[in-house]
Amino acid sequence: MVRSMTAFARVERAGAHGTLSWELRSVNHRYLEPHLRLPDAFRDLEGAVRDALRQGLSRGKVECSLRFAEEQAGQRLQVDRERAAQLVAAAETVASLIERPAPLNPLEVLAWPGVLMADVADPQALNSAALELFDEALEQLKGGRAREGAELAKLLDERLDSMRDEVAALRERVPQMLAAQRQRILDRFRDMQAELDPQRLEQELVLLAQKSDVAEELDRLDTHVGEVRRVLKAGGAAGRRLDFLMQELNREANTLGSKAFDTRSTQAAVNLKVLIEQMREQVQNIE
């Protein structure tokens, strides 16, 4: 199954120390290009997140945002006794230099940075939880890409059916168009009342038939259509291969148009180019 490069995923998990949430967004890109937004406390995760992305995806610009809403209510407060003792000792040293100093207020000691601490979570445990949650978000993103890829494959298959029908109809009409073209040339010569050299005329008609022969282009179009179907069925990272096949289909349609000698063949070439362009736009979304 082919996968799209466009998808979105969001997962959230609440714990004792707060709520972790990941948002992943992916869009079209020629290569895999991750963009990470991590809180400072989770910077150590960057390498593991990039590795997980490389293992799970092959193409696309992927934005990964992690948020952590810390839970303050209910946390047990702790006093850093060593820091508080240092602060009190420093205050007493300064007080000895002042005549009749004011008594030291314990609340002022507690307000000093680093003296009063909340019971914080183990950073390693938080990192592990965030990484586990990221794996869940990545699976959700891959699922979204797979679902959209299946829809893209259906759209491509419909246009391949239309191309197949267009090629088959033109192949059936070619002998009639060649016969009509031959008759038009004969009628023109008769209208001009020119003396015809049967051998020379036959040579000219053979040359015209060779220049107007589109059997090779029609065969190649059929071959490329079959290859596109095979690639879609095989799945995986097929975007680049499909993009190449779109170029080949377009080349054959252009050649078909340049050889057109009848309004029906011209219209068929135009119809094929429209279908190919529609497919090419969809292929740009495939991983």
Side-chain angles (χ1 to χ4, degrees):
M1 177 185 293
V2 295
R3 296 183 296 270
S4 169
M5 285 188 282
T6 304
F8 172 81
R10 188 180 191 281
V11 294
E12 183 177 288
R13 183 178 298 170
H17 296 280
T19 301
L20 289 163
S21 62
W22 280 100
E23 278 192 7
L24 275 58
R25 303 171 185 267
S26 68
V27 294
N28 305 353
H29 200 272
R30 190 174 180 183
Y31 306 105
L32 178 62
E33 184 178 311
H35 291 267
L36 309 184
R37 295 189 181 92
L38 306 177
D40 290 339
F42 294 88
R43 288 295 177 189
D44 293 344
L45 293 179
E46 185 168 341
V49 168
R50 290 183 182 276
D51 287 343
L53 287 171
R54 279 193 292 268
Q55 292 174 13
L57 308 173
S58 60
R59 293 177 65 198
K61 180 179 178 181
V62 187
E63 295 182 359
C64 307
S65 301
L66 172 63
R67 293 181 176 84
F68 178 56
E70 191 171 3
E71 180 62 53
Q72 300 289 344
Q75 290 188 355
R76 187 166 57 88
L77 299 178
Q78 295 180 344
V79 176
D80 186 337
R81 291 178 173 273
E82 183 178 351
R83 188 170 182 81
Q86 293 173 353
L87 183 61
V88 170
E92 289 176 347
T93 299
V94 174
S96 67
L97 303 176
I98 303 174
E99 185 177 350
R100 279 181 277 176
L104 187 62
N105 187 338
L107 291 178
E108 293 177 352
V109 176
L110 290 174
W112 193 264
V115 173
L116 189 63
M117 303 177 297
D119 184 19
V120 296
D122 178 9
Q124 187 173 356
L126 270 179
N127 280 349
S128 297
L131 194 57
E132 181 182 339
L133 191 62
F134 176 78
D135 290 339
E136 183 180 327
L138 182 57
E139 287 303 313
Q140 188 180 117
L141 185 78
K142 288 164 62 178
R145 287 165 66 122
R147 287 189 297 274
E148 185 166 332
E151 292 301 317
L152 290 176
K154 289 180 183 178
L155 293 174
L156 291 175
D157 200 53
E158 290 172 1
R159 282 155 180 78
L160 290 171
D161 286 342
S162 298
M163 284 192 66
R164 178 200 59 199
D165 295 342
E166 196 75 46
V167 169
L170 182 58
R171 192 189 298 277
E172 186 177 342
R173 289 195 296 262
V174 164
Q176 302 170 6
M177 292 189 296
L178 285 173
Q181 181 72 355
R182 177 188 177 97
Q183 189 60 48
R184 279 194 295 270
I185 293 174
L186 291 172
D187 293 343
R188 189 176 302 121
F189 272 98
R190 290 194 185 95
D191 291 342
M192 294 170 60
Q193 296 183 345
E195 186 175 338
L196 299 178
D197 179 350
Q199 186 176 356
R200 178 63 184 273
L201 177 60
E202 189 62 31
Q203 290 175 352
E204 292 296 328
L205 290 173
V206 169
L207 183 60
L208 173 65
Q210 290 174 345
K211 289 182 178 179
S212 305
D213 184 12
V214 294
E216 187 176 350
E217 285 71 30
L218 296 177
D219 288 342
R220 286 178 180 167
L221 283 167
D222 276 337
T223 300
H224 293 328
V225 166
E227 180 64 10
V228 172
R229 290 191 190 279
R230 187 196 67 78
V231 172
L232 288 172
K233 186 176 180 181
R240 290 193 179 94
R241 177 66 178 168
L242 289 171
D243 189 55
F244 169 76
L245 289 170
M246 292 304 110
Q247 296 176 37
E248 294 302 302
L249 284 168
N250 194 59
R251 182 173 312 170
E252 298 304 329
N254 282 333
T255 305
L256 192 65
S258 68
K259 288 186 173 183
F261 59 91
D262 186 284
T263 55
R264 290 169 291 181
S265 57
T266 300
Q267 187 60 51
V270 170
N271 293 343
L272 288 170
K273 286 177 66 66
V274 169
L275 291 168
I276 293 165
E277 179 60 24
Q278 290 173 348
M279 288 195 296
R280 191 193 66 80
E281 291 177 359
Q282 299 298 341
V283 163
Q284 302 306 309
N285 294 320
I286 293 178
E287 182 179 355

